[in-house]
């Protein structure tokens, strides 16, 4: 996406550990599964968030897949949402529901950032389709991307979201209530490549986000979204439930993208902070809408799911923002639970055995290759002064911040991540 060039890297603090592995620490480890997770949490939350400290490793996704299968089969979960384009994800959801499209094309187009090439992501989609075979619609599993249509160098054109929203209203509401025609939207949108201009990420003058056309589109998007809300009783009676959910997704996405493009054209020092915060808001709004349909498992980078302020660096400057997880925790309270993942090694990326005086190093000394850790018992075992944070030699991996342990509900520990 356009506001995340690198995942956060934790800065070292001058602290010293006051504890070493002992029997009390070892007792914090158990198997990773639906029964152990829900027992640790003490409930079945509406939103169960599982974080990862790095992207692109199928070993971590295999853990996610196994947990989701158990949550579906044992705990009644029916939705998984991953850090991927929310509009593209509709292709995957259609496939797992009805078999529409070939698997190769569905995962290539429906899972963004190139992650459709992952064997573990393909296995997830294949299993979901098999689970849904011959099941009634009310009992099917659902797939969702919850990220905005934001790529590494640009944000998408709002065309898809705006035109789909307009089409839904034109089909199901009084056409005389629409604030514009489809032709007006098409004229104002213009060529899509002016919205996706890569240079606009670092040069606000290359952004179309504050042009006269963009300003008018933002007003029209607001009017279309307001009409969707105002006509809710009628639309609920004339459109399917799924169509209604998708129309609201189109409205959220159109408004979010136009807001994002507006701030891409900003020249103030707050520009990048605004962009990354808007992304977090878009994620949170999508997850809240999904949670209204039933309990769901969310999978994303730890930094998008934690309760504390998240940090990163862009353009050499430090940035802070409230992530989707922090926003959901503030809204849902105990109905939001966050299980982080920590790991020992990713040797093919230069991440070797963790120092013994870090949380990862203490856990690495345990015999289990994979385990579920109670972070509160772990914090107690470590004593009043947290260990020093681990430093990553690779920008793509963000070690656990030991000071976050009190606000983490569970901790999955993966000892070694081999090349896959």
């Amino acid at each position: 996406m356009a506001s995340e060039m690198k995942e956060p890297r934790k800065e070292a603090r001058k602290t010293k550990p006051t504890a070493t592995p002992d029997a009390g620490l070892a007792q914090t480890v158990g198997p990773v599964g639906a029964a152990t997770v829900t027992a640790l949490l003490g409930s079945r939350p509406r939103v169960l968030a599982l974080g990862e400290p790095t992207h692109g490793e199928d070993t971590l996704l295999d853990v996610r897949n196994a947990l989701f299968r158990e949550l579906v089969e044992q705990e009644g979960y029916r939705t998984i949402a991953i850090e991927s384009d929310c509009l593209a994800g509709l292709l995957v959801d259609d496939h797992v529901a009805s078999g529409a499209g070939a698997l190769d094309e569905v995962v290539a187009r429906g899972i963004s950032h190139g992650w459709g090439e992952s064997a573990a992501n393909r296995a997830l989609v294949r299993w979901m389709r098999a689970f849904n075979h011959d099941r009634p619609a009310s009992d099917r599993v659902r797939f969702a991307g919850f990220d905005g249509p934001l790529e590494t160098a640009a944000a998408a054109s709002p065309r898809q979201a705006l035109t789909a929203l307009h089409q839904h209203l034109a089909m199901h509401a009084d056409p005389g209530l629409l604030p514009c025609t489809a032709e007006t939207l098409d004229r104002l949108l213009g060529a899509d490549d002016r919205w996706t201009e890569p240079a606009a990420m670092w040069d606000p003058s290359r952004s179309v986000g504050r042009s006269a056309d963009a300003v008018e589109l933002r007003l029209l998007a607001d009017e279309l979204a307001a009409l969707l809300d105002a006509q809710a009783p009628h639309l609920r009676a004339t459109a399917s439930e799924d169509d209604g959910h998708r129309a609201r997704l189109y409205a959220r996405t159109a408004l979010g993208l136009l807001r994002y493009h507006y701030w891409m054209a900003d020249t103030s020092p707050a520009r990048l902070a605004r962009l990354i915060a808007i992304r977090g808001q878009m994620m949170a709004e999508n997850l809240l809408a999904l949670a209204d349909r039933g309990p769901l498992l969310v999978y994303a980078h730890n930094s998008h799911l934690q309760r504390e302020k998240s940090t990163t660096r862009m353009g050499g400057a430090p940035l802070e923002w409230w992530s989707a997880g922090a926003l959901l925790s503030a809204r849902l309270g105990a109905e939001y639970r966050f299980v982080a993942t920590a790991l020992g090694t990713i040797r093919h990326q230069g991440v070797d055995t963790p120092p013994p005086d870090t949380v990862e190093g203490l856990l690495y000394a345990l015999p289990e290759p994979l385990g579920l850790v109670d972070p509160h018992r772990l914090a107690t075992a470590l004593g009043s002064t947290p260990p020093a944070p681990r430093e990553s030699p690779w920008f793509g991996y963000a070690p656990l911040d030991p000071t976050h342990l009190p606000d983490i509900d569970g901790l999955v520990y993966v000892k070694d991540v081999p090349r896959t």
Side-chain angles (χ1 to χ4, degrees):
M1 53 63 73
S3 65
E4 179 185 340
M5 303 304 291
K6 294 182 179 180
E7 295 291 359
R9 173 177 174 176
K10 303 297 182 183
E11 300 293 334
R13 295 189 306 276
K14 296 180 180 179
T15 58
K16 295 182 179 180
T18 58
T20 57
D22 58 18
L25 179 58
Q27 289 171 6
T28 67
V29 178
V32 179
T36 52
V37 169
T38 54
L40 176 62
L41 301 180
S43 66
R44 186 188 73 168
R46 286 174 61 192
V47 179
L48 173 55
L50 176 63
E52 64 178 5
T54 186
H55 288 316
E57 298 294 342
D58 274 7
T59 298
L60 304 182
L61 302 186
D62 288 339
V63 174
R64 174 204 66 187
N65 291 355
L67 177 59
F68 180 59
R69 286 195 297 269
E70 291 193 9
L71 288 168
V72 168
E73 293 166 351
Q74 301 173 20
E75 299 293 335
Y77 280 69
R78 286 296 180 267
T79 303
I80 185 168
I82 72 170
E83 184 185 334
S84 183
D85 182 333
C86 58
L87 298 185
L90 297 175
L91 293 172
V92 182
D93 191 45
D94 285 340
H95 175 79
V96 300
S98 66
L103 177 65
D104 287 349
E105 182 180 4
V106 165
V107 296
R109 295 177 54 206
I111 300 178
S112 60
H113 308 306
W115 295 336
E117 298 176 1
S118 158
N121 279 333
R122 291 167 62 86
L124 171 68
V125 175
R126 188 182 297 111
W127 177 84
M128 293 177 72
R129 175 62 200 135
F131 180 89
N132 282 341
H133 184 65
D134 289 339
R135 284 182 182 267
S138 60
D139 195 37
R140 292 174 186 159
V141 289
R142 307 295 299 264
F143 177 94
F146 72 95
D147 202 352
L150 307 169
E151 292 296 338
T152 55
S157 163
R159 177 182 301 279
Q160 180 183 357
L162 269 177
T163 56
L165 174 59
H166 189 277
Q167 287 170 3
H168 177 83
L169 290 168
M171 183 179 299
H172 298 288
D174 179 353
L177 297 175
L178 292 170
C180 65
T181 65
E183 291 74 20
T184 296
L185 286 181
D186 186 64
R187 174 179 57 79
L188 293 171
L189 285 162
D192 285 346
D193 57 7
R194 67 173 183 156
W195 296 94
T196 57
E197 166 60 64
M201 184 63 236
W202 302 111
D203 183 356
S205 69
R206 301 293 294 275
S207 172
V208 71
R210 297 194 179 186
S211 65
D213 288 348
V215 171
E216 187 171 354
L217 281 169
R218 201 170 174 191
L219 290 172
L220 290 173
D222 184 68
E223 289 296 329
L224 289 168
L227 180 60
L228 186 70
D229 289 339
Q231 293 294 307
H234 172 71
L235 295 172
R236 189 173 293 113
T238 58
S240 71
E241 184 178 5
D242 271 357
D243 283 347
H245 282 295
R246 291 192 176 195
R248 289 188 287 277
L249 171 62
Y250 295 137
R252 292 192 302 272
T253 305
L255 290 168
L257 278 174
L258 287 164
R259 186 181 304 119
Y260 195 93
H261 280 289
Y262 177 85
W263 284 102
M264 284 189 78
D266 181 48
T267 59
S268 78
R271 176 177 180 269
L272 293 178
R274 287 276 194 175
L275 293 177
I276 202 165
I278 291 168
R279 184 192 182 196
Q281 288 177 293
M282 293 176 72
M283 287 180 162
E285 289 170 0
N286 285 334
L287 290 174
L288 285 168
L290 291 168
D292 285 342
R293 303 173 71 171
L296 71 146
L297 176 68
V298 180
Y299 189 79
H301 197 277
N302 287 330
S303 63
H304 295 308
L305 302 176
Q306 67 189 35
R307 291 185 173 92
E308 298 82 359
K309 264 194 171 181
S310 298
T311 61
T312 191
R313 298 187 71 87
M314 289 182 62
L319 297 177
E320 292 185 338
W321 80 100
W322 291 111
S323 72
L327 297 174
L328 259 68
S329 182
R331 178 76 68 89
L332 298 179
E335 290 297 307
Y336 176 80
R337 296 299 184 93
F338 170 46
V339 177
T341 297
L343 56 83
T345 71
I346 324 173
R347 298 191 193 279
H348 55 282
Q349 298 290 3
V351 181
D352 293 319
T353 303
D357 60 349
T358 62
V359 168
E360 290 88 349
L362 295 172
L363 293 171
Y364 198 80
L366 298 172
E368 292 83 359
L370 170 68
L372 177 67
V373 179
D374 181 340
H376 305 115
R377 292 181 63 187
L378 175 58
T380 299
L382 294 175
S384 59
T385 303
R390 184 183 189 183
E391 293 186 76
S392 174
W394 176 50
F395 73 86
Y397 159 60
L400 182 73
D401 187 332
T403 65
H404 291 182
L405 285 173
D407 289 318
I408 295 173
D409 300 301
L411 181 62
V412 171
Y413 185 72
V414 179
K415 192 166 188 175
D416 297 292
V417 178
R419 184 189 296 273
T420 54

